[in-house]
Amino acid sequence: MVGARKVVLDEKEIPRQWYNIQADLPRPVPPPLGPDGQPVKPEMLAAVFPMSLIEQEVSTERWIDIPEDVLEKLLLWRPTPLQRAWNLEGALETPARIYYKNEGVSPPGSHKPNTAVPQAYYNRVFGVKRLTTETGAGQWGSALSMACCLFGLECRVYMVRISFEQKPMRKYMMRVWGAECIPSPSTLTDSGRRILERDPDTQGSLGIAISEAVEEAVKREDTRYSLGSVLNHVLLHQTIIGLEAKRQMEKIGEYPDVIIGCAGGGSNFAGVSFPFVADKIAGRDVRVVAVEPAACPTLTRAPYVYDHGDVAGLTPLLAMHSLGRTFVPPPIHAGGLRYHGMAPLVSHGVREGLIEAEALHQLECYEAAVTWARTEGAIPAPETSHAIAQVIREAKRAREEGKEEVILFNWSGHGLLDLTAYDAYFSRKLSDYALSDEELRKSLSSVEGHPRPE
Amino acid sequence: MVGARKVVLDEKEIPRQWYNIQADLPRPVPPPLGPDGQPVKPEMLAAVFPMSLIEQEVSTERWIDIPEDVLEKLLLWRPTPLQRAWNLEGALETPARIYYKNEGVSPPGSHKPNTAVPQAYYNRVFGVKRLTTETGAGQWGSALSMACCLFGLECRVYMVRISFEQKPMRKYMMRVWGAECIPSPSTLTDSGRRILERDPDTQGSLGIAISEAVEEAVKREDTRYSLGSVLNHVLLHQTIIGLEAKRQMEKIGEYPDVIIGCAGGGSNFAGVSFPFVADKIAGRDVRVVAVEPAACPTLTRAPYVYDHGDVAGLTPLLAMHSLGRTFVPPPIHAGGLRYHGMAPLVSHGVREGLIEAEALHQLECYEAAVTWARTEGAIPAPETSHAIAQVIREAKRAREEGKEEVILFNWSGHGLLDLTAYDAYFSRKLSDYALSDEELRKSLSSVEGHPRPE
């Protein structure tokens, strides 16, 4: 039926402020700790981030203004549509109504530029000339490349070596936006060289790439570092997704019973869900589900500990669910979900009982992705397929329970640069991996001796 | 400035009818001719197309209703945004206001599904079980694969061999939507086998692939053929682009002085421009510019003749600008613009003085595409880059003339599956090709003896 499939917002309806969940948490999130075991002082982060982002990181203001210059760039693809997955509902014969935010319409194809743009902007205003960052599957590196280009900054991206080799398109994409993409570990940094000496054939990891990018930012006065997930200010910028979704659902008189997002570092999940978690804190009955791969089960199997965000231990200790910074996940295809840690705000939300977590195997996720493409048209990113698989589970449950539930999820990105993974799936070259207890124990040895939150 | 960068339409504002320019042409377009040199009767096309599409092909009704089932599928990505290229305007320091229809937001990434969806629908309603088609760069094959999937039809796509080998992603994409993609020429058809016997190492061409797809449709009762451009009904379906654009421009009180689209077979160009050509026929002052590659200069250098749409000569003779059906274009990267002919309605429009044509070299187009990506964010398809290069020319002219012109163009698709072409551009592996007079004379020998229009 035409008239109930899509809700768009006029550009004048774009949210003018981000939502900061730190204002509403029943208990505050434990602070990051420095090498001395004491809470990190803002000045200590100044070699890495511009002060305005550090202020956002620790702010407890509920609403933070989005600068006009940032809004103008976000309008290149925002507000994104809220769409109803009508065809999928029909195929599943579910009474559930399934809505999704389509974040795949951004130029690099995912939600990532929602934070890349403000980060580039604040760095530019602060007088920074260059940004470094890391990227796994390449979504974040592409997004930051575009954002830097739009604000006239140079950009260097350390890309996990195995992805660099398997996904040359991402490197070409970054080049179109004028950025430099380096396979990590590289010989450009001490962190990289140390790892190459020990293991010249390493495939690299996100933790290693972060070490390289941070090291370069610390060493060069004109350079700062930019992170695509995990940190509070990154999640803050992503709340524009949920804020738009809320307005869009209000327009059609809907409110979700369940909100679902895939979670690697946690930013797209937080983006869609935090504005609704605010209502949950205020007493509203709503379920919020983070979905991670069974191969990298941070929220579902890792302890809540203080751990570094990178392999070399250059970052402060963050209070989070972590598999241990030396964790090397099995080679599943959702590169954006292969991080050892989880955003402190998301980890804290799980501890506080505000957020549920599920771990799914990749074959179920690919099956869900193909079902999606064959009903709703668009081909999802492998990361996004985790959210879709959980949506299908919930929709089937609703069918069994005969409940007219409203499901909202974040369609975090398209899979047009991940088609080789689909080919591998159809050619039955993919298999499910679950982390063994033995592997988990081993990787967790790296957090021994760290302080415990609370 | 937030408030002048983007115009969206609500789903209820989606056009409910296509615009048929045949109702308004000062002189009718010359009819297709059969093997006997007489105008083709609708029944003669029945082995290839369902009757409803044949009726649209010859209709002179001004408005043709879009079926509700088609609208529902179009809503998966339509209405598409009308965006203002504010950043590009600033970079060019032009007083021109540049607007573009963003057709890259469709699941396969281009305007092609605008006609793939209704074609699959009408075939389905007609009882057809399978569709065959050809594809060059892969945009059309992907779009038809998706459309067939959405309506439960089988789909076989003959893909020009060189593209099949160079662009494996397109094949994977079609597979996600359940379609079969065959490199052409193949051994599945007489047309393919004949060509392989003569030239086993042929790279293939669109004309060859059309022959194979048509032959299979004629031979199998359950199968019909679907064409992604050139024919009247295809251009009709694409007018939804221009109809939406017109409504969107009305909302902000704008009307274009110049409308620009790239032209291979002519469908995206016709789609954006025909609703405005209607105004031009009625006396309004508006320029309409089709942009083609200098390597395949159909409108700018080829004669207006009767020619076949395919190499084997299976299709009726169409009155069009044609380089000759045996024409094999040089290997430029805009695969969607490498067709020997041009839509009869577009060819006729040029003859009638309603449409201008320009031919551009690919290096200028890639330069324009990079300028676009670095100002407006999104990475254009190589085909789209031709429209952008012309937009930049017009914007610079407007600057020199000090004119506040309004430019509208069709951003026909993104280039996320064409990133290797960008890599080739940056690596200086691309060069400009212009067709020599000698080559042109040679390829035109295949139209000798054909009747002339009028």
Side-chain angles (χ1 to χ4, degrees):
Chain A
M1 187 181 67
V2 176
R5 287 170 186 256
K6 193 191 244 177
V7 187
V8 291
L9 293 179
D10 184 83
E11 63 175 315
K12 289 174 190 156
E13 296 174 287
I14 194 169
R16 300 297 180 126
Q17 296 179 308
W18 292 296
Y19 168 66
N20 181 10
I21 199 169
Q22 295 193 74
D24 292 320
L25 288 173
R27 291 191 297 167
V29 68
L33 304 182
D36 57 357
Q38 294 302 308
V40 170
K41 294 202 180 62
E43 318 73 274
M44 295 167 67
L45 298 170
V48 181
F49 299 115
M51 197 47 72
S52 39
L53 289 174
I54 298 170
E55 283 164 10
Q56 290 182 358
E57 187 66 19
V58 298
S59 171
T60 52
E61 290 292 315
R62 182 170 292 115
W63 297 103
I64 294 178
D65 288 345
I66 308 178
E68 184 83 1
D69 285 349
V70 169
L71 283 173
E72 285 180 359
K73 304 300 184 203
L74 295 179
L75 282 174
L76 289 170
W77 71 96
R78 302 206 74 83
T80 62
L82 178 80
Q83 300 183 237
R84 181 161 169 196
W86 196 287
N87 299 337
L88 178 67
E89 289 172 20
L92 298 175
E93 297 180 336
T94 179
R97 299 193 290 286
I98 302 170
Y99 294 93
Y100 62 103
K101 267 303 256 188
N102 185 350
E103 293 294 306
V105 297
S106 80
S110 81
H111 65 289
K112 289 290 188 190
N114 295 333
T115 183
V117 164
Q119 288 195 50
Y121 166 80
Y122 287 117
N123 275 284
R124 172 62 184 268
V125 168
F126 196 70
V128 172
K129 302 276 180 269
R130 294 175 75 244
L131 284 180
T132 59
T133 196
E134 73 293 328
T135 200
Q139 287 278 20
W140 168 243
S142 314
L144 192 69
S145 299
M146 180 189 76
C148 284
C149 184
L150 293 176
F151 284 110
L153 295 175
E154 287 175 43
C155 182
R156 177 179 281 172
V157 179
Y158 289 93
M159 185 166 183
V160 175
R161 167 156 290 164
I162 185 168
S163 297
F164 182 90
E165 284 162 7
Q166 287 179 352
K167 303 189 168 188
M169 297 303 142
R170 285 286 171 188
K171 166 179 71 189
Y172 301 155
M173 197 177 199
M174 295 180 218
R175 192 172 182 186
V176 172
W177 286 312
E180 196 186 358
C181 180
I182 309 275
S184 165
S186 75
T187 54
L188 299 175
T189 64
D190 291 342
S191 319
R193 283 187 293 267
R194 261 199 306 273
I195 288 178
L196 285 173
E197 272 164 31
R198 265 205 315 266
D199 180 6
D201 297 324
T202 176
Q203 300 192 333
S205 77
L206 216 45
I208 296 171
I210 296 177
S211 291
E212 294 204 82
V214 170
E215 182 188 321
E216 182 179 331
V218 170
K219 285 183 179 163
R220 284 187 61 162
E221 183 51 42
D222 63 346
T223 302
R224 290 292 182 283
Y225 166 72
S226 177
L227 187 65
S229 191
V230 177
L231 296 180
N232 303 345
H233 68 273
V234 179
L235 276 53
L236 172 79
H237 300 155
Q238 293 293 355
T239 60
I240 195 166
I241 303 171
L243 293 167
E244 284 181 7
K246 220 167 169 178
R247 287 187 193 191
Q248 287 163 313
M249 297 199 84
E250 274 166 20
K251 284 197 172 200
I252 50 170
E254 292 275 38
Y255 191 93
D257 296 299
V258 193
I259 297 154
I260 294 167
C262 62
S267 78
N268 100 76
F269 166 74
V272 71
S273 68
F274 279 6
F276 296 94
V277 173
D279 299 341
K280 183 163 183 163
I281 293 170
R284 184 141 194 172
D285 187 22
V286 51
R287 288 177 54 219
V288 181
V289 186
V291 190
E292 60 187 15
C296 190
T298 317
L299 288 171
T300 50
R301 291 180 59 199
Y304 184 67
V305 294
Y306 264 114
D307 198 8
H308 296 286
D310 70 316
V311 165
L314 299 178
T315 75
L317 288 164
L318 301 170
M320 60 183 181
H321 283 274
S322 173
L323 295 158
R325 70 180 197 270
T326 58
F327 178 70
V328 179
I332 62 157
H333 276 270
L337 304 182
R338 298 172 70 224
Y339 182 60
H340 70 273
M342 177 59 67
L345 282 171
V346 174
S347 298
H348 184 67
V350 170
R351 282 237 306 170
E352 296 285 307
L354 296 166
I355 295 167
E356 303 168 36
E358 294 284 347
L360 301 183
H361 284 287
Q362 71 173 353
L363 291 182
E364 177 181 347
C365 297
Y366 276 102
E367 190 188 339
V370 171
T371 299
W372 181 273
R374 291 183 180 180
T375 51
E376 296 295 319
I379 299 173
E383 292 80 4
T384 310
S385 75
H386 288 69
I388 296 171
Q390 183 65 25
V391 166
I392 291 176
R393 285 185 172 201
E394 300 282 351
K396 287 181 175 170
R397 179 192 49 70
R399 181 182 66 201
E400 279 151 30
E401 296 175 2
K403 279 194 191 160
E404 278 197 28
E405 282 192 24
V406 176
I407 300 171
L408 167 66
F409 80 100
N410 195 32
W411 204 86
S412 55
H414 65 63
L416 299 189
L417 291 165
D418 303 283
L419 287 163
T420 47
Y422 281 90
D423 180 51
Y425 169 69
F426 285 119
S427 309
R428 300 181 184 280
K429 288 179 195 153
L430 298 189
S431 55
D432 284 337
Y433 299 89
L435 192 64
S436 74
D437 290 338
E438 178 53 32
E439 287 167 313
L440 180 59
R441 205 164 30 240
K442 200 172 144 204
S443 77
L444 282 174
S445 64
S446 64
V447 300
E448 275 167 29
H450 288 185
R452 297 278 148 164
E454 256 115 307
Chain B
M1 187 182 67
V2 176
R5 287 171 185 254
K6 193 191 243 175
V7 187
V8 291
L9 293 178
D10 184 83
E11 64 175 314
K12 289 175 188 155
E13 296 175 287
I14 194 169
R16 301 295 180 128
Q17 298 179 307
W18 292 297
Y19 168 66
N20 181 11
I21 199 169
Q22 295 193 74
D24 291 319
L25 288 173
R27 291 190 298 168
V29 69
L33 304 181
D36 57 358
Q38 295 301 308
V40 170
K41 296 202 179 61
E43 325 61 280
M44 295 167 67
L45 297 171
V48 181
F49 299 116
M51 197 47 71
S52 40
L53 289 175
I54 298 170
E55 284 164 10
Q56 289 183 357
E57 187 66 18
V58 299
S59 170
T60 53
E61 291 291 316
R62 182 170 292 113
W63 297 103
I64 293 177
D65 287 346
I66 308 177
E68 185 82 1
D69 285 350
V70 170
L71 282 174
E72 284 179 358
K73 304 300 184 203
L74 295 179
L75 283 174
L76 289 171
W77 72 95
R78 302 206 73 83
T80 62
L82 177 80
Q83 300 184 236
R84 181 160 171 197
W86 196 287
N87 298 337
L88 178 67
E89 289 172 21
L92 299 174
E93 297 181 333
T94 178
R97 298 193 290 285
I98 302 170
Y99 295 92
Y100 62 103
K101 267 302 258 188
N102 185 351
E103 293 293 308
V105 296
S106 80
S110 80
H111 65 290
K112 289 290 187 190
N114 295 333
T115 184
V117 164
Q119 289 195 50
Y121 165 80
Y122 287 118
N123 275 284
R124 171 62 184 267
V125 168
F126 196 70
V128 173
K129 301 275 179 271
R130 294 175 75 243
L131 284 179
T132 59
T133 196
E134 72 293 328
T135 199
Q139 287 279 20
W140 168 244
S142 314
L144 192 69
S145 299
M146 180 189 78
C148 284
C149 184
L150 293 175
F151 285 110
L153 295 175
E154 288 175 43
C155 181
R156 176 179 283 172
V157 179
Y158 289 93
M159 185 166 183
V160 175
R161 167 155 292 164
I162 185 170
S163 297
F164 182 90
E165 284 162 6
Q166 287 179 351
K167 302 188 168 188
M169 297 303 142
R170 284 286 171 189
K171 167 180 73 191
Y172 301 155
M173 198 177 199
M174 296 181 217
R175 192 171 182 186
V176 172
W177 286 311
E180 196 185 359
C181 180
I182 309 276
S184 166
S186 75
T187 54
L188 298 176
T189 64
D190 291 342
S191 319
R193 283 187 293 267
R194 263 199 304 274
I195 288 176
L196 285 173
E197 272 164 31
R198 264 204 318 267
D199 180 6
D201 297 325
T202 176
Q203 302 192 333
S205 77
L206 216 46
I208 296 171
I210 296 176
S211 290
E212 294 204 80
V214 170
E215 182 189 322
E216 182 179 330
V218 170
K219 284 184 178 162
R220 284 187 61 161
E221 183 51 42
D222 63 346
T223 302
R224 291 291 182 283
Y225 166 72
S226 177
L227 188 65
S229 191
V230 178
L231 296 179
N232 304 345
H233 68 273
V234 179
L235 276 52
L236 173 78
H237 301 155
Q238 293 292 356
T239 60
I240 195 167
I241 302 170
L243 293 168
E244 283 181 7
K246 220 166 168 178
R247 288 187 194 191
Q248 287 164 313
M249 296 199 84
E250 274 166 20
K251 284 198 172 200
I252 50 169
E254 292 275 37
Y255 191 93
D257 296 297
V258 193
I259 297 153
I260 295 167
C262 62
S267 77
N268 100 75
F269 166 73
V272 70
S273 68
F274 279 6
F276 296 94
V277 173
D279 298 341
K280 182 163 182 162
I281 294 170
R284 183 140 195 175
D285 187 22
V286 51
R287 288 177 55 217
V288 182
V289 186
V291 189
E292 60 187 14
C296 190
T298 318
L299 288 172
T300 49
R301 291 181 60 200
Y304 185 66
V305 294
Y306 263 114
D307 198 7
H308 296 285
D310 70 315
V311 165
L314 300 178
T315 75
L317 288 164
L318 302 171
M320 60 183 181
H321 282 275
S322 173
L323 295 157
R325 70 180 196 271
T326 57
F327 178 70
V328 179
I332 63 157
H333 276 270
L337 304 181
R338 297 172 70 223
Y339 182 60
H340 69 274
M342 177 59 68
L345 283 171
V346 174
S347 297
H348 185 67
V350 170
R351 282 236 306 172
E352 297 284 306
L354 296 167
I355 295 167
E356 303 168 36
E358 293 285 346
L360 300 184
H361 284 288
Q362 71 174 353
L363 292 182
E364 177 181 347
C365 296
Y366 276 102
E367 190 189 339
V370 171
T371 299
W372 181 273
R374 292 183 178 179
T375 51
E376 296 296 320
I379 299 174
E383 291 80 4
T384 310
S385 74
H386 288 70
I388 296 170
Q390 184 64 25
V391 166
I392 291 176
R393 284 185 173 200
E394 301 282 352
K396 287 181 177 171
R397 179 192 48 71
R399 181 183 63 200
E400 279 152 31
E401 297 175 1
K403 279 193 189 159
E404 278 197 27
E405 283 192 22
V406 176
I407 300 171
L408 167 66
F409 80 100
N410 195 32
W411 204 86
S412 55
H414 65 64
L416 298 190
L417 290 165
D418 303 282
L419 287 164
T420 47
Y422 281 90
D423 181 51
Y425 169 69
F426 284 119
S427 311
R428 301 183 184 278
K429 288 179 195 155
L430 298 188
S431 54
D432 284 337
Y433 299 89
L435 192 64
S436 73
D437 290 338
E438 178 53 33
E439 288 167 314
L440 181 58
R441 206 164 30 241
K442 199 172 145 204
S443 78
L444 282 174
S445 64
S446 64
V447 300
E448 275 167 28
H450 288 184
R452 296 280 149 163
E454 259 116 308

